[in-house]
Amino acid sequence: QVHLVQSGAEMRRPGASVKVSCKASGYTFTNYGITWVRQAPGQGLEWVGTISSYYDNTYMAENLQDRVTMTRDSSTDTAYIEVTSLRFDDTAIYYCARGSWNYDAGVRHYYMDVWGKGTAVTVSS
Amino acid sequence: IQMTQSPSTLSASVGDSVTITCRASQTISHYLAWYQQKPGRAPQLLISKASTLESGVPSRFSGSGSGTEFTLTIDSLQPEDFATYFCQHYNNFPYTFGQGTKLDI
Protein backbone atom coordinates (compact mmCIF):
# COMPACT_ATOMS: atom_id res chain seq x y z
CA GLN A 1 0.00 0.00 0.00
CA VAL A 2 1.29 3.41 -0.96
CA HIS A 3 1.97 5.80 1.92
CA LEU A 4 3.54 9.22 2.33
CA VAL A 5 4.47 10.05 5.92
CA GLN A 6 5.34 13.65 6.65
CA SER A 7 7.33 15.14 9.51
CA GLY A 8 5.65 16.88 12.42
CA ALA A 9 4.39 20.40 12.93
CA GLU A 10 6.91 23.23 13.04
CA MET A 11 6.91 26.76 14.43
CA ARG A 12 9.45 29.35 13.34
CA ARG A 13 10.19 33.05 13.70
CA PRO A 14 10.05 35.31 10.65
CA GLY A 15 13.31 35.13 8.71
CA ALA A 16 14.10 31.59 9.85
CA SER A 17 14.07 28.43 7.72
CA VAL A 18 12.12 25.20 7.91
CA LYS A 19 12.64 21.80 6.30
CA VAL A 20 9.80 19.32 5.95
CA SER A 21 10.26 15.66 5.05
CA CYS A 22 8.02 13.19 3.25
CA LYS A 23 8.89 9.49 3.45
CA ALA A 24 7.42 7.26 0.77
CA SER A 25 6.67 3.56 0.94
CA GLY A 26 4.83 0.95 -1.08
CA TYR A 27 6.09 1.93 -4.53
CA THR A 28 9.26 2.50 -6.53
CA PHE A 29 10.17 5.99 -5.40
CA THR A 30 12.21 7.04 -8.42
CA ASN A 31 9.47 6.14 -10.90
CA TYR A 32 7.20 8.94 -9.67
CA GLY A 33 7.47 12.64 -9.08
CA ILE A 34 6.76 14.43 -5.81
CA THR A 35 4.65 17.57 -5.70
CA TRP A 36 4.36 19.99 -2.79
CA VAL A 37 1.13 21.90 -2.22
CA ARG A 38 0.34 24.31 0.59
CA GLN A 39 -2.86 25.57 2.09
CA ALA A 40 -3.03 28.69 4.24
CA PRO A 41 -5.65 28.71 7.02
CA GLY A 42 -9.13 28.85 5.53
CA GLN A 43 -7.77 29.19 2.00
CA GLY A 44 -7.52 27.11 -1.15
CA LEU A 45 -4.72 24.96 -2.47
CA GLU A 46 -1.51 26.47 -3.81
CA TRP A 47 0.88 24.47 -5.98
CA VAL A 48 4.40 25.04 -4.63
CA GLY A 49 6.50 22.84 -6.88
CA THR A 50 7.21 19.46 -8.41
CA ILE A 51 10.35 17.35 -8.50
CA SER A 52 10.29 15.05 -11.47
CA SER A 53 10.69 11.31 -11.66
CA TYR A 54 14.00 9.82 -12.81
CA TYR A 55 16.00 13.02 -13.31
CA ASP A 56 14.98 15.09 -10.26
CA ASN A 57 14.32 18.21 -12.27
CA THR A 58 12.55 20.81 -10.15
CA TYR A 59 9.77 23.17 -11.15
CA MET A 60 8.54 25.83 -8.72
CA ALA A 61 5.96 28.54 -8.36
CA GLU A 62 7.48 31.80 -9.49
CA ASN A 63 6.62 33.60 -6.25
CA LEU A 64 8.52 31.02 -4.19
CA GLN A 65 11.45 29.93 -6.34
CA ASP A 66 13.94 32.22 -4.59
CA ARG A 67 13.13 30.77 -1.14
CA VAL A 68 12.19 27.14 -1.76
CA THR A 69 14.42 24.13 -2.34
CA MET A 70 13.01 20.71 -3.14
CA THR A 71 15.17 17.59 -2.99
CA ARG A 72 14.75 13.84 -2.84
CA ASP A 73 16.94 11.05 -1.47
CA SER A 74 16.40 7.77 -3.28
CA SER A 75 18.51 5.90 -0.70
CA THR A 76 15.84 6.58 1.94
CA ASP A 77 12.80 7.18 -0.33
CA THR A 78 12.37 10.58 1.25
CA ALA A 79 11.56 13.96 -0.27
CA TYR A 80 12.25 17.30 1.35
CA ILE A 81 11.14 20.87 0.99
CA GLU A 82 13.02 23.72 2.60
CA VAL A 83 11.63 27.23 2.83
CA THR A 84 14.00 30.03 3.83
CA SER A 85 13.44 33.64 4.91
CA LEU A 86 10.06 32.67 6.30
CA ARG A 87 7.29 35.25 6.33
CA PHE A 88 4.00 35.34 8.20
CA ASP A 89 2.13 34.42 5.00
CA ASP A 90 4.12 31.19 4.71
CA THR A 91 1.96 29.89 7.56
CA ALA A 92 0.15 26.92 6.02
CA ILE A 93 -0.23 23.19 5.90
CA TYR A 94 2.35 21.79 3.51
CA TYR A 95 1.34 18.62 1.70
CA CYS A 96 3.50 16.28 -0.29
CA ALA A 97 1.86 14.15 -2.94
CA ARG A 98 3.01 11.43 -5.28
CA GLY A 99 3.23 12.57 -8.85
CA SER A 100 1.81 10.00 -11.21
CA TRP A 101 2.05 11.04 -14.82
CA ASN A 102 0.47 11.01 -18.22
CA TYR A 103 3.08 10.74 -20.98
CA ASP A 104 2.61 12.58 -24.25
CA ALA A 105 5.13 13.49 -26.94
CA GLY A 106 8.11 13.12 -24.63
CA VAL A 107 6.57 15.12 -21.78
CA ARG A 108 5.40 13.83 -18.41
CA HIS A 109 2.35 15.60 -17.03
CA TYR A 110 2.15 15.02 -13.27
CA TYR A 111 -1.04 14.70 -11.27
CA MET A 112 -1.24 13.95 -7.54
CA ASP A 113 -2.70 10.55 -6.75
CA VAL A 114 -1.57 9.89 -3.18
CA TRP A 115 -1.18 12.59 -0.53
CA GLY A 116 0.55 12.85 2.79
CA LYS A 117 -1.45 14.03 5.80
CA GLY A 118 0.24 17.42 5.77
CA THR A 119 2.68 19.31 7.98
CA ALA A 120 1.57 22.49 9.70
CA VAL A 121 4.14 25.26 9.51
CA THR A 122 3.44 28.30 11.65
CA VAL A 123 5.44 31.50 11.34
CA SER A 124 5.00 33.63 14.41
CA SER A 125 6.96 36.20 16.36
CA ILE B 1 -2.80 29.81 -16.52
CA GLN B 2 -5.75 30.90 -14.38
CA MET B 3 -8.31 28.31 -13.36
CA THR B 4 -11.78 29.60 -12.52
CA GLN B 5 -14.32 27.39 -10.82
CA SER B 6 -18.03 28.04 -10.56
CA PRO B 7 -19.95 28.22 -8.45
CA SER B 8 -17.88 29.02 -5.35
CA THR B 9 -20.54 27.48 -3.14
CA LEU B 10 -23.30 25.07 -3.97
CA SER B 11 -26.17 23.93 -1.81
CA ALA B 12 -27.82 20.62 -2.59
CA SER B 13 -29.63 17.71 -0.99
CA VAL B 14 -28.94 14.02 -0.73
CA GLY B 15 -30.02 12.38 -3.99
CA ASP B 16 -29.50 15.51 -6.13
CA SER B 17 -27.16 15.71 -9.10
CA VAL B 18 -24.76 18.63 -9.28
CA THR B 19 -22.25 19.99 -11.78
CA ILE B 20 -19.17 22.09 -11.07
CA THR B 21 -17.45 23.96 -13.89
CA CYS B 22 -13.78 24.76 -14.25
CA ARG B 23 -12.49 27.11 -16.95
CA ALA B 24 -8.87 27.58 -17.95
CA SER B 25 -7.57 30.92 -19.21
CA GLN B 26 -5.84 29.09 -22.08
CA THR B 27 -6.04 25.64 -23.52
CA ILE B 28 -4.76 22.82 -21.31
CA SER B 29 -5.70 19.90 -23.58
CA HIS B 30 -7.15 17.28 -21.21
CA TYR B 31 -4.62 17.70 -18.39
CA LEU B 32 -7.13 18.49 -15.70
CA ALA B 33 -7.58 16.81 -12.33
CA TRP B 34 -10.35 17.04 -9.74
CA TYR B 35 -9.77 16.67 -6.00
CA GLN B 36 -12.12 16.39 -3.04
CA GLN B 37 -11.16 17.79 0.34
CA LYS B 38 -12.97 17.35 3.62
CA PRO B 39 -12.31 19.58 6.64
CA GLY B 40 -9.04 18.75 8.37
CA ARG B 41 -8.08 16.20 5.74
CA ALA B 42 -5.70 16.07 2.84
CA PRO B 43 -7.19 16.35 -0.65
CA GLN B 44 -8.07 13.16 -2.46
CA LEU B 45 -7.78 12.60 -6.22
CA LEU B 46 -11.09 11.87 -7.92
CA ILE B 47 -10.38 12.27 -11.62
CA SER B 48 -7.31 12.73 -13.80
CA LYS B 49 -6.92 13.54 -17.48
CA ALA B 50 -10.30 15.29 -17.38
CA SER B 51 -12.39 12.10 -17.30
CA THR B 52 -10.39 9.15 -15.91
CA LEU B 53 -11.92 8.03 -12.65
CA GLU B 54 -9.39 7.14 -9.98
CA SER B 55 -9.52 3.59 -8.69
CA GLY B 56 -11.88 3.28 -5.74
CA VAL B 57 -13.82 6.46 -6.51
CA PRO B 58 -17.57 5.82 -6.84
CA SER B 59 -19.01 5.84 -10.35
CA ARG B 60 -21.45 8.63 -9.44
CA PHE B 61 -18.49 10.97 -10.02
CA SER B 62 -17.71 11.82 -13.63
CA GLY B 63 -15.63 14.40 -15.46
CA SER B 64 -15.68 15.77 -18.96
CA GLY B 65 -14.21 18.48 -21.12
CA SER B 66 -11.09 19.46 -22.97
CA GLY B 67 -9.34 22.62 -24.04
CA THR B 68 -10.56 25.31 -21.68
CA GLU B 69 -13.87 24.09 -20.24
CA PHE B 70 -14.35 21.17 -17.89
CA THR B 71 -17.07 19.83 -15.65
CA LEU B 72 -17.32 17.56 -12.64
CA THR B 73 -20.71 15.93 -12.17
CA ILE B 74 -21.85 14.08 -9.08
CA ASP B 75 -24.99 12.02 -9.53
CA SER B 76 -27.24 11.02 -6.66
CA LEU B 77 -25.37 12.90 -3.93
CA GLN B 78 -24.49 10.93 -0.83
CA PRO B 79 -23.91 12.43 2.64
CA GLU B 80 -20.14 11.80 2.37
CA ASP B 81 -19.95 13.92 -0.83
CA PHE B 82 -20.47 17.20 0.98
CA ALA B 83 -16.97 18.65 0.82
CA THR B 84 -14.87 21.14 -1.14
CA TYR B 85 -13.82 20.35 -4.70
CA PHE B 86 -10.80 21.73 -6.52
CA CYS B 87 -9.78 21.51 -10.14
CA GLN B 88 -6.12 21.71 -11.11
CA HIS B 89 -4.41 21.89 -14.48
CA TYR B 90 -1.18 20.01 -15.09
CA ASN B 91 -0.61 20.80 -18.73
CA ASN B 92 2.61 22.74 -18.19
CA PHE B 93 4.46 24.37 -15.29
CA PRO B 94 3.44 26.25 -13.22
CA TYR B 95 0.44 24.14 -12.29
CA THR B 96 -2.49 26.00 -10.77
CA PHE B 97 -5.64 25.16 -8.83
CA GLY B 98 -9.09 26.60 -9.08
CA GLN B 99 -10.29 28.47 -6.01
CA GLY B 100 -12.55 25.63 -4.91
CA THR B 101 -16.26 24.88 -4.76
CA LYS B 102 -17.80 24.18 -1.39
CA LEU B 103 -20.69 21.76 -1.66
CA ASP B 104 -22.94 21.88 1.37
CA ILE B 105 -26.30 20.63 2.41
Side-chain angles (χ1 to χ4, degrees):
Chain A
Q1 201 169 12
V2 176
H3 286 295
L4 297 173
V5 178
Q6 297 187 228
S7 50
E10 303 275 10
M11 181 175 286
R12 295 285 188 275
R13 304 285 191 202
S17 299
V18 69
K19 192 170 187 177
V20 175
S21 67
C22 170
K23 182 166 176 58
S25 62
Y27 70 99
T28 302
F29 186 62
T30 51
N31 288 359
Y32 294 81
I34 290 284
T35 290
W36 292 90
V37 173
R38 71 180 184 177
Q39 187 170 36
Q43 301 301 307
L45 302 173
E46 179 184 15
W47 176 80
V48 174
T50 295
I51 187 164
S52 70
S53 55
Y54 304 112
Y55 302 113
D56 293 355
N57 296 318
T58 57
Y59 306 88
M60 274 175 280
E62 193 172 330
N63 64 321
L64 291 168
Q65 61 187 5
D66 292 339
R67 300 191 295 119
V68 168
T69 303
M70 297 180 298
T71 56
R72 56 195 283 165
D73 182 347
S74 58
S75 69
T76 59
D77 290 353
T78 303
Y80 301 90
I81 184 170
E82 182 174 26
V83 186
T84 61
S85 302
L86 283 164
R87 310 191 301 222
F88 292 118
D89 63 0
D90 291 318
T91 294
I93 297 175
Y94 288 73
Y95 295 102
C96 64
R98 187 177 77 163
S100 284
W101 37 269
N102 303 131
Y103 191 76
D104 183 22
V107 177
R108 287 185 177 83
H109 303 264
Y110 294 95
Y111 60 94
M112 293 156 271
D113 66 342
V114 179
W115 293 64
K117 293 188 186 306
T119 296
V121 174
T122 303
V123 183
S124 174
S125 56
Chain B
I1 298 174
Q2 306 298 320
M3 305 300 295
T4 304
Q5 281 182 242
S6 60
S8 296
T9 59
L10 183 56
S11 295
S13 301
V14 172
D16 286 351
S17 291
V18 296
T19 296
I20 299 169
T21 298
C22 182
R23 289 188 174 88
S25 60
Q26 56 187 269
T27 184
I28 57 169
S29 184
H30 42 235
Y31 296 112
L32 191 282
W34 289 98
Y35 302 90
Q36 177 194 68
Q37 187 179 32
K38 296 180 180 178
R41 305 284 297 273
Q44 176 188 349
L45 176 68
L46 299 174
I47 287 169
S48 63
K49 213 172 178 183
S51 60
T52 301
L53 198 66
E54 179 72 356
S55 176
V57 174
S59 59
R60 63 181 179 272
F61 291 89
S62 63
S64 65
S66 67
T68 61
E69 188 150 337
F70 302 85
T71 58
L72 172 70
T73 298
I74 314 171
D75 291 322
S76 188
L77 278 168
Q78 298 300 299
E80 60 268 29
D81 300 336
F82 292 93
T84 301
Y85 294 85
F86 294 93
C87 63
Q88 178 236 336
H89 94 81
Y90 58 104
N91 183 59
N92 56 284
F93 295 110
Y95 297 164
T96 47
F97 288 90
Q99 79 277 20
T101 295
K102 185 177 181 182
L103 175 58
D104 57 23
I105 300 174

Coordinates of all heavy atoms in Angstrom, one line a residue, chain B residues 43-96:
Chain B
P43 N -6.4 16.6 0.6 CA -7.2 16.3 -0.7 C -7.0 14.9 -1.1 O -6.1 14.2 -0.8 CB -6.6 17.3 -1.7 CG -5.9 18.4 -0.9 CD -5.4 17.7 0.4
Q44 N -8.1 14.5 -1.9 CA -8.1 13.2 -2.5 C -8.4 13.3 -4.0 O -9.3 14.0 -4.4 CB -9.2 12.3 -1.8 CG -9.3 10.9 -2.4 CD -10.5 10.2 -1.8 OE1 -11.1 10.6 -0.8 NE2 -10.9 9.1 -2.4
L45 N -7.6 12.6 -4.8 CA -7.8 12.6 -6.2 C -9.1 11.9 -6.6 O -9.3 10.7 -6.2 CB -6.6 12.0 -6.9 CG -6.7 11.8 -8.4 CD1 -6.7 13.2 -9.1 CD2 -5.6 10.9 -9.0
L46 N -9.9 12.5 -7.4 CA -11.1 11.9 -7.9 C -10.9 11.5 -9.4 O -11.2 10.4 -9.8 CB -12.3 12.8 -7.8 CG -12.7 13.3 -6.5 CD1 -13.8 14.4 -6.6 CD2 -13.2 12.2 -5.6
I47 N -10.4 12.4 -10.2 CA -10.4 12.3 -11.6 C -9.1 12.9 -12.1 O -8.7 14.0 -11.7 CB -11.6 13.0 -12.3 CG1 -12.9 12.2 -12.0 CG2 -11.4 13.2 -13.8 CD1 -14.2 12.9 -12.3
S48 N -8.5 12.2 -13.1 CA -7.3 12.7 -13.8 C -7.6 12.7 -15.3 O -8.6 12.1 -15.7 CB -6.1 11.9 -13.5 OG -6.2 10.6 -14.0
K49 N -6.8 13.5 -16.0 CA -6.9 13.5 -17.5 C -8.4 13.8 -17.9 O -8.9 13.2 -18.8 CB -6.4 12.3 -18.1 CG -5.8 12.5 -19.5 CD -5.1 11.2 -20.0 CE -4.5 11.4 -21.4 NZ -4.0 10.1 -21.9
A50 N -9.0 14.7 -17.1 CA -10.3 15.3 -17.4 C -11.4 14.3 -17.1 O -12.5 14.7 -16.6 CB -10.4 15.8 -18.8
S51 N -11.2 13.0 -17.4 CA -12.4 12.1 -17.3 C -12.0 10.7 -16.8 O -12.9 9.9 -16.7 CB -13.0 11.9 -18.7 OG -12.1 11.4 -19.6
T52 N -10.8 10.5 -16.4 CA -10.4 9.2 -15.9 C -10.6 9.1 -14.4 O -10.0 9.7 -13.6 CB -8.9 8.9 -16.2 OG1 -8.7 9.0 -17.6 CG2 -8.5 7.5 -15.7
L53 N -11.6 8.2 -14.0 CA -11.9 8.0 -12.7 C -10.8 7.3 -11.9 O -10.4 6.2 -12.4 CB -13.3 7.3 -12.6 CG -14.0 7.3 -11.3 CD1 -14.5 8.7 -11.0 CD2 -15.2 6.4 -11.3
E54 N -10.4 7.8 -10.8 CA -9.4 7.1 -10.0 C -10.0 5.9 -9.4 O -11.1 5.8 -9.0 CB -8.9 8.1 -8.9 CG -7.9 7.6 -7.9 CD -6.5 7.4 -8.5 OE1 -6.3 7.7 -9.7 OE2 -5.6 7.1 -7.8
S55 N -9.1 4.8 -9.3 CA -9.5 3.6 -8.7 C -10.1 3.8 -7.3 O -9.5 4.5 -6.5 CB -8.3 2.6 -8.6 OG -8.7 1.5 -8.0
G56 N -11.3 3.2 -7.0 CA -11.9 3.3 -5.7 C -12.9 4.4 -5.6 O -13.6 4.5 -4.6
V57 N -12.9 5.3 -6.6 CA -13.8 6.5 -6.5 C -15.2 6.0 -7.1 O -15.2 5.4 -8.1 CB -13.3 7.7 -7.3 CG1 -14.3 8.8 -7.4 CG2 -12.0 8.2 -6.7
P58 N -16.2 6.3 -6.4 CA -17.6 5.8 -6.8 C -17.9 6.3 -8.2 O -17.6 7.4 -8.6 CB -18.5 6.4 -5.8 CG -17.7 6.6 -4.6 CD -16.3 7.0 -5.1
S59 N -18.7 5.5 -9.0 CA -19.0 5.8 -10.4 C -20.0 7.0 -10.5 O -20.3 7.5 -11.6 CB -19.5 4.6 -11.1 OG -20.7 4.1 -10.4
R60 N -20.6 7.5 -9.4 CA -21.4 8.6 -9.4 C -20.7 9.9 -9.8 O -21.3 10.9 -10.1 CB -22.3 8.8 -8.2 CG -21.5 9.1 -6.9 CD -22.4 9.2 -5.7 NE -21.6 9.4 -4.5 CZ -21.1 8.5 -3.7 NH1 -21.3 7.2 -4.0 NH2 -20.5 8.8 -2.6
F61 N -19.3 9.9 -9.6 CA -18.5 11.0 -10.0 C -18.1 10.8 -11.5 O -17.7 9.7 -11.9 CB -17.2 11.0 -9.2 CG -17.5 11.4 -7.7 CD1 -17.7 10.4 -6.8 CD2 -17.4 12.7 -7.3 CE1 -17.9 10.8 -5.5 CE2 -17.6 13.1 -6.0 CZ -17.9 12.1 -5.1
S62 N -18.2 11.9 -12.2 CA -17.7 11.8 -13.6 C -17.2 13.2 -14.0 O -17.6 14.2 -13.5 CB -18.8 11.4 -14.6 OG -19.9 12.3 -14.6
G63 N -16.2 13.2 -15.0 CA -15.6 14.4 -15.5 C -15.7 14.4 -17.0 O -15.6 13.4 -17.6
S64 N -15.7 15.6 -17.5 CA -15.7 15.8 -19.0 C -15.0 17.1 -19.3 O -14.8 18.0 -18.5 CB -17.1 15.7 -19.5 OG -17.9 16.8 -19.1
G65 N -14.8 17.2 -20.6 CA -14.2 18.5 -21.1 C -12.8 18.3 -21.7 O -12.2 17.3 -21.5
S66 N -12.4 19.4 -22.4 CA -11.1 19.5 -23.0 C -10.9 20.9 -23.4 O -11.8 21.7 -23.6 CB -10.9 18.5 -24.1 OG -11.7 18.9 -25.2
G67 N -9.6 21.3 -23.6 CA -9.3 22.6 -24.0 C -9.4 23.6 -22.9 O -8.4 23.7 -22.1
T68 N -10.5 24.3 -22.7 CA -10.6 25.3 -21.7 C -11.8 25.1 -20.7 O -11.8 25.8 -19.7 CB -10.6 26.7 -22.3 OG1 -11.8 26.8 -23.1 CG2 -9.4 27.1 -23.1
E69 N -12.7 24.2 -21.1 CA -13.9 24.1 -20.2 C -14.1 22.7 -19.8 O -14.1 21.7 -20.6 CB -15.1 24.6 -21.0 CG -16.3 24.7 -20.1 CD -17.3 25.8 -20.5 OE1 -16.9 26.7 -21.1 OE2 -18.5 25.6 -20.1
F70 N -14.3 22.5 -18.5 CA -14.4 21.2 -17.9 C -15.5 21.2 -16.9 O -15.8 22.2 -16.3 CB -13.0 20.8 -17.2 CG -11.8 20.9 -18.1 CD1 -11.2 22.1 -18.4 CD2 -11.4 19.7 -18.7 CE1 -10.1 22.1 -19.2 CE2 -10.3 19.8 -19.6 CZ -9.7 21.0 -19.9
T71 N -16.0 20.0 -16.6 CA -17.1 19.8 -15.6 C -16.8 18.6 -14.8 O -16.3 17.6 -15.3 CB -18.5 19.7 -16.3 OG1 -18.5 18.6 -17.2 CG2 -18.8 21.0 -17.0
L72 N -17.2 18.7 -13.5 CA -17.3 17.6 -12.6 C -18.8 17.4 -12.3 O -19.4 18.4 -11.8 CB -16.5 17.8 -11.4 CG -16.7 16.8 -10.2 CD1 -16.0 15.5 -10.6 CD2 -16.1 17.3 -8.9
T73 N -19.3 16.2 -12.5 CA -20.7 15.9 -12.2 C -20.8 14.9 -11.1 O -20.0 13.9 -11.2 CB -21.5 15.5 -13.4 OG1 -21.5 16.5 -14.4 CG2 -22.9 15.1 -13.1
I74 N -21.6 15.1 -10.1 CA -21.8 14.1 -9.1 C -23.3 13.7 -9.2 O -24.2 14.6 -9.0 CB -21.5 14.6 -7.7 CG1 -20.1 15.3 -7.7 CG2 -21.5 13.4 -6.7 CD1 -19.8 16.0 -6.4
D75 N -23.6 12.5 -9.5 CA -25.0 12.0 -9.5 C -25.4 11.4 -8.2 O -24.6 10.9 -7.5 CB -25.1 10.9 -10.6 CG -25.0 11.5 -12.0 OD1 -25.5 12.6 -12.3 OD2 -24.4 10.8 -12.9
S76 N -26.7 11.6 -7.9 CA -27.2 11.0 -6.7 C -26.3 11.3 -5.4 O -25.7 10.3 -4.9 CB -27.5 9.5 -6.9 OG -28.2 9.0 -5.8
L77 N -26.2 12.5 -5.0 CA -25.4 12.9 -3.9 C -25.6 12.0 -2.7 O -26.7 11.8 -2.3 CB -25.6 14.4 -3.6 CG -24.9 15.4 -4.4 CD1 -25.5 16.8 -4.1 CD2 -23.4 15.4 -4.2
Q78 N -24.5 11.7 -2.1 CA -24.5 10.9 -0.8 C -24.0 11.8 0.3 O -23.3 12.8 0.0 CB -23.6 9.7 -0.9 CG -24.1 8.7 -2.0 CD -25.5 8.2 -1.7 OE1 -25.8 7.6 -0.7 NE2 -26.5 8.5 -2.6
P79 N -24.3 11.5 1.5 CA -23.9 12.4 2.6 C -22.4 12.7 2.7 O -22.0 13.8 3.0 CB -24.4 11.7 3.9 CG -25.5 10.8 3.4 CD -25.2 10.4 2.0
E80 N -21.6 11.7 2.3 CA -20.1 11.8 2.4 C -19.6 12.7 1.2 O -18.4 13.0 1.2 CB -19.5 10.4 2.3 CG -19.8 9.6 1.1 CD -21.0 8.7 1.3 OE1 -21.9 9.0 2.0 OE2 -21.0 7.6 0.6
D81 N -20.4 13.1 0.3 CA -20.0 13.9 -0.8 C -19.9 15.4 -0.5 O -19.4 16.2 -1.3 CB -20.8 13.7 -2.1 CG -20.9 12.3 -2.6 OD1 -19.9 11.5 -2.3 OD2 -21.9 11.9 -3.2
F82 N -20.5 15.8 0.6 CA -20.5 17.2 1.0 C -19.1 17.6 1.5 O -18.6 17.1 2.5 CB -21.6 17.5 2.0 CG -22.9 17.3 1.4 CD1 -23.6 16.1 1.5 CD2 -23.5 18.4 0.7 CE1 -24.9 15.9 0.9 CE2 -24.8 18.2 0.1 CZ -25.4 17.0 0.2
A83 N -18.4 18.4 0.7 CA -17.0 18.6 0.8 C -16.6 19.8 -0.1 O -17.5 20.4 -0.7 CB -16.2 17.4 0.4
T84 N -15.3 20.1 -0.2 CA -14.9 21.1 -1.1 C -14.1 20.5 -2.3 O -13.4 19.5 -2.1 CB -13.9 22.2 -0.4 OG1 -14.7 22.8 0.6 CG2 -13.5 23.2 -1.4
Y85 N -14.4 20.9 -3.5 CA -13.8 20.3 -4.7 C -12.9 21.4 -5.4 O -13.3 22.5 -5.5 CB -14.9 19.9 -5.6 CG -15.7 18.8 -5.0 CD1 -16.8 19.0 -4.1 CD2 -15.4 17.4 -5.3 CE1 -17.5 18.0 -3.5 CE2 -16.1 16.4 -4.7 CZ -17.1 16.7 -3.8 OH -17.8 15.6 -3.2
F86 N -11.8 20.9 -5.8 CA -10.8 21.7 -6.5 C -10.5 21.1 -7.9 O -10.3 19.9 -8.0 CB -9.5 21.8 -5.7 CG -9.6 22.5 -4.4 CD1 -9.8 21.8 -3.2 CD2 -9.5 23.9 -4.3 CE1 -9.9 22.5 -2.0 CE2 -9.5 24.6 -3.1 CZ -9.8 23.8 -1.9
C87 N -10.4 22.0 -8.9 CA -9.8 21.5 -10.1 C -8.3 22.0 -10.2 O -7.9 22.9 -9.4 CB -10.5 22.0 -11.4 SG -10.6 23.8 -11.5
Q88 N -7.5 21.4 -11.0 CA -6.1 21.7 -11.1 C -5.6 21.3 -12.5 O -5.9 20.2 -13.0 CB -5.3 21.0 -10.1 CG -3.8 21.3 -10.1 CD -3.0 20.0 -10.3 OE1 -3.4 18.9 -9.9 NE2 -1.8 20.1 -10.9
H89 N -5.0 22.3 -13.2 CA -4.4 21.9 -14.5 C -3.0 21.4 -14.3 O -2.3 21.9 -13.4 CB -4.5 23.1 -15.5 CG -3.2 23.9 -15.5 ND1 -2.1 23.5 -16.2 CD2 -2.9 25.1 -14.9 CE1 -1.1 24.5 -16.0 NE2 -1.6 25.4 -15.3
Y90 N -2.6 20.5 -15.1 CA -1.2 20.0 -15.1 C -0.6 19.9 -16.5 O 0.1 19.0 -16.8 CB -1.0 18.7 -14.3 CG -1.9 17.5 -14.7 CD1 -1.3 16.5 -15.4 CD2 -3.2 17.4 -14.4 CE1 -2.0 15.4 -15.8 CE2 -4.0 16.3 -14.8 CZ -3.3 15.3 -15.5 OH -4.1 14.2 -15.9
N91 N -1.1 20.8 -17.3 CA -0.6 20.8 -18.7 C 0.9 21.2 -18.9 O 1.6 20.6 -19.6 CB -1.5 21.7 -19.6 CG -1.1 21.7 -21.0 OD1 -1.1 20.7 -21.7 ND2 -0.8 22.9 -21.6
N92 N 1.2 22.3 -18.1 CA 2.6 22.7 -18.2 C 2.9 23.5 -16.9 O 1.9 23.9 -16.2 CB 2.8 23.7 -19.4 CG 1.9 24.8 -19.4 OD1 0.7 24.7 -19.8 ND2 2.3 26.0 -19.0
F93 N 4.1 23.7 -16.5 CA 4.5 24.4 -15.3 C 4.4 25.9 -15.5 O 4.7 26.3 -16.6 CB 5.9 24.0 -14.8 CG 6.0 22.5 -14.4 CD1 6.7 21.6 -15.2 CD2 5.3 22.1 -13.3 CE1 6.8 20.3 -14.9 CE2 5.4 20.7 -12.9 CZ 6.1 19.9 -13.7
P94 N 3.9 26.7 -14.6 CA 3.4 26.2 -13.2 C 2.0 25.7 -13.2 O 1.2 26.2 -13.9 CB 3.5 27.6 -12.4 CG 3.3 28.6 -13.5 CD 3.9 28.1 -14.7
Y95 N 1.8 24.7 -12.5 CA 0.4 24.1 -12.3 C -0.4 25.1 -11.4 O 0.2 25.8 -10.6 CB 0.5 22.8 -11.6 CG 1.2 21.7 -12.4 CD1 1.6 20.5 -11.7 CD2 1.5 21.8 -13.7 CE1 2.2 19.5 -12.4 CE2 2.1 20.8 -14.4 CZ 2.5 19.6 -13.7 OH 3.1 18.6 -14.4
T96 N -1.7 25.1 -11.6 CA -2.5 26.0 -10.8 C -3.8 25.3 -10.4 O -4.3 24.5 -11.2 CB -2.8 27.4 -11.4 OG1 -3.2 27.1 -12.8 CG2 -1.6 28.3 -11.4

